[in-house]
Amino acid sequence: ATGSGSIVDSMGNQNGTPSGTVTYSSDVPLSTVGGAANKLSLQLATNGSVQFPGAFPLNSLTNATMEYYIKPTGTTVSEMDVLWTRTDSSADANRFNMGIYTSGNSRTIFLDYRDTNGNMQSIFPGGGALQIPYTGWSHVAIVKSGNVWTGYVNGTQMGQPVTATVTLPTNTGWTMNGNPRGSGYAYTGLLDEFRISNSALTPSQFLAPVNGGTSSCTYSLATSSASVGAGAGGFSFPVTT
């Protein structure tokens, strides 16, 4: 994300509008991503969020990959919601929820969703297999192939694939950081290169891991070589391999 006033969707038309404390940081996971200089990451605080107007892409994609670099810094909250795919505070239904669960010195990525009637599908539970290092940057990828979901951290599959049986949400509008239904769920930390592809990618096609691995992905969110930040879109990002 470059510039100010919006979080830029590099491929679609779903730019995000920041609210509260949303800034940029020179702390980045990799100096080069997809052949472009990576100079900025998105820094979120407890009172900062980004609102997106369209439907969350995973509502409708049969095959998809959601991936990003993440560096949590919050230590006092057990549940930090990075994505909540509603912008209102209505009943807990018709949404995705993704975030970080912290217990002691352990952090795990969780992901679940509810259909329009509130029935929940847990994909990756808090305290489950999708564990990330407590400190530092991690690359996370969540791959959807039909109804089967698989999670990866730094290019390594974590746990077994999960088959979902609950109907996907249909809601329009979503939030990056926090949960409008209550305070105390905000994510504190950094986020970089958030993207959703309309293909079930393999690890060799992911963005490069932070532990020195390689990647065949050459697609960058940057519109120029000036900087690469966090982007999101209701339009699925194409990935060039």
Side-chain angles (χ1 to χ4, degrees), residues 2 31-40 220-229:
T2 58
S31 60
T32 303
V33 175
N38 185 23
K39 297 182 179 181
L40 296 173
S220 170
L221 294 181
T223 54
S224 69
S225 60
S227 63
V228 180

Side-chain angles (χ1 to χ4, degrees), residues 84-108:
W84 180 268
T85 64
R86 295 186 70 115
T87 56
D88 57 37
S89 58
S90 299
D92 187 3
N94 202 20
R95 55 77 178 158
F96 275 93
N97 185 22
M98 184 192 73
I100 295 174
Y101 178 78
T102 301
S103 177
N105 292 324
S106 174
R107 296 194 198 269
T108 52

Side-chain angles (χ1 to χ4, degrees), residues 6 13 124 138 158 161 174 197 218 225:
S6 67
N13 58 2
F124 304 111
S138 299
M158 307 296 281
W174 52 287
S197 310
T218 59
S225 60

Side-chain angles (χ1 to χ4, degrees), residues 152-171:
Y152 300 82
V153 174
N154 289 324
T156 299
Q157 181 178 324
M158 307 296 281
Q160 298 300 311
V162 176
T163 300
T165 58
V166 175
T167 304
L168 290 167
T170 60
N171 190 61

Side-chain angles (χ1 to χ4, degrees), residues 74-126:
T75 59
T76 61
V77 179
S78 60
E79 177 185 334
M80 296 188 289
D81 294 341
V82 179
L83 292 179
W84 180 268
T85 64
R86 295 186 70 115
T87 56
D88 57 37
S89 58
S90 299
D92 187 3
N94 202 20
R95 55 77 178 158
F96 275 93
N97 185 22
M98 184 192 73
I100 295 174
Y101 178 78
T102 301
S103 177
N105 292 324
S106 174
R107 296 194 198 269
T108 52
I109 299 292
F110 68 85
L111 174 68
D112 60 59
Y113 67 84
R114 291 183 185 269
D115 66 12
T116 55
N117 294 317
N119 299 307
M120 190 177 84
Q121 174 72 61
S122 177
I123 304 296
F124 304 111

Side-chain angles (χ1 to χ4, degrees), residues 152-228:
Y152 300 82
V153 174
N154 289 324
T156 299
Q157 181 178 324
M158 307 296 281
Q160 298 300 311
V162 176
T163 300
T165 58
V166 175
T167 304
L168 290 167
T170 60
N171 190 61
T172 298
W174 52 287
T175 299
M176 180 180 287
N177 197 30
N179 179 337
R181 299 188 68 245
S183 60
Y185 294 104
Y187 168 71
T188 302
L190 304 172
L191 187 68
D192 198 22
E193 288 292 312
F194 180 88
R195 59 182 68 189
I196 297 175
S197 310
N198 58 358
S199 300
L201 303 179
T202 62
S204 65
Q205 296 171 303
F206 297 162
L207 293 166
V210 295
N211 56 4
T214 59
S215 168
S216 61
C217 177
T218 59
Y219 174 69
S220 170
L221 294 181
T223 54
S224 69
S225 60
S227 63
V228 180

Side-chain angles (χ1 to χ4, degrees), residues 43 53 68 143 145 150 162 173 185 187 222:
Q43 185 165 13
Y68 51 88
V143 178
S145 179
T150 308
V162 176
Y185 294 104
Y187 168 71

